[in-house]
Amino acid sequence: MYARMSEITTASPDTESPKRHDILCAAGDLFMRSGYGETSVDAIARAAGVSKATLYAHFPSKEALFATIIHDACRTHLAVTSVLPEGVADLRSALRGMGRDLLNFLLQDRALAIHRVVTAECQRFPELGRAFYDNGPGLFRRALAAWLERQQGAGRLRAGDMAVAADQFLGLLRSGLYLRATLGLARPAEAEIDATVQEAVDTFLRAFAPPD
Amino acid sequence: MYARMSEITTASPDTESPKRHDILCAAGDLFMRSGYGETSVDAIARAAGVSKATLYAHFPSKEALFATIIHDACRTHLAVTSVLPEGVADLRSALRGMGRDLLNFLLQDRALAIHRVVTAECQRFPELGRAFYDNGPGLFRRALAAWLERQQGAGRLRAGDMAVAADQFLGLLRSGLYLRATLGLARPAEAEIDATVQEAVDTFLRAFAPPD
DNA sequence: GTCTATAGAAGGATAGAC
DNA sequence: GTCTATCCTTCTATAGAC
């Protein structure tokens, strides 16, 4: 079921010292959990098992450390190619598989935390919203639009702007469930996720299937 | 165009002293702009033109002040009855008017700020997400579902669960534009908003119009 | 209720030894 | 690079005068 969920790419240089790695891990956890303002450098150093001086030897400031964390996190995303298959026999089941993979990915603790932190701090760090969007939702949206255009070319979808259709399919997927998850309300059960995906696909295909 | 946007209800007791009012206004602005952790009580007192001691005479703690601000803000919402008209001649134009009013409301600075702050702090203050959802998205969703059921009863919509349809219509409205707005990316232009609403209504009606 | 003044803790950042 | 110890600022919250 979650087989493809393991296919997550994270672009990390990994030419880093062990201590630097510990600092990044600890800072990532704390920033994701509590946001920028409520996370202290003391707490990060303590959690990483290093002194503050060591931390400041690797990062010039708390802001720089935060920016590094978030930008790295924004480059962690679904392997788009594995979720949008090339050879499609049945469009409905392809949409269902893709929708389930994507929604499960979006509802992960880590993904929700990134979205929360970026939403919270994008006023203080204006480039953050852009980095997140371009590496996450925007990237997937473009790939999905291109994929839908190929389906359209194969006669499986009616005429129309597939960029809009992509946005709308993602909107249908996120409808309700995802909003409630970002607000920290009850984590959706597996069955609820599947139902949302199925409803999204049904509605999407009723609206975008070619007229017969 | 924005005529109905003025119909916003804010439930405030208003049996408050002038200083208390000043404190609430200043704290609201600062918390909305910078979040909880980055807003200091000093800054609030300064902006309100009172001393910190006065502030603490009205509110027992920074947390209590924050909770008051946010809970008040959550009770500021669209006057649902004005956006969901009773007598509907043309469903398409009713959906368009409602969609435009709602999307314009959601894209206001104030509404975006509340959503951002609640998203950011709902882990630290778990009851916040619930209060926001129940007074905002959840409230409107229920009203919209009931409204859609009446349209369904009048034969203007096909059979199906109108709670799901309501979530999906809201998802279509928020598709793309709203996500980008919450991330602080370019504020959408009037024309872009209208286009999004129109596309949402078109897709929704293609999927939910009664089969002929 | 409102102020000034301050306590006491915690914040980010650094000096200097190793 | 890494540590301990510390600087200075800012934080939340309160005491005491009016």
Side-chain angles (χ1 to χ4, degrees), chain A residues 8 17-18 41 118 166 208:
Chain A
I8 289 176
S17 72
V41 176
V118 171
F208 287 99

Side-chain angles (χ1 to χ4, degrees), chain A residues 40-41 52 56 62:
Chain A
S40 71
V41 176
K52 276 196 291 187
Y56 278 101
K62 180 186 176 183

Side-chain angles (χ1 to χ4, degrees), chain A residues 39 47 50 52 122 139 166 183 193:
Chain A
T39 300
V50 303
K52 276 196 291 187
C122 67
L139 183 72
L183 294 175
I193 296 175

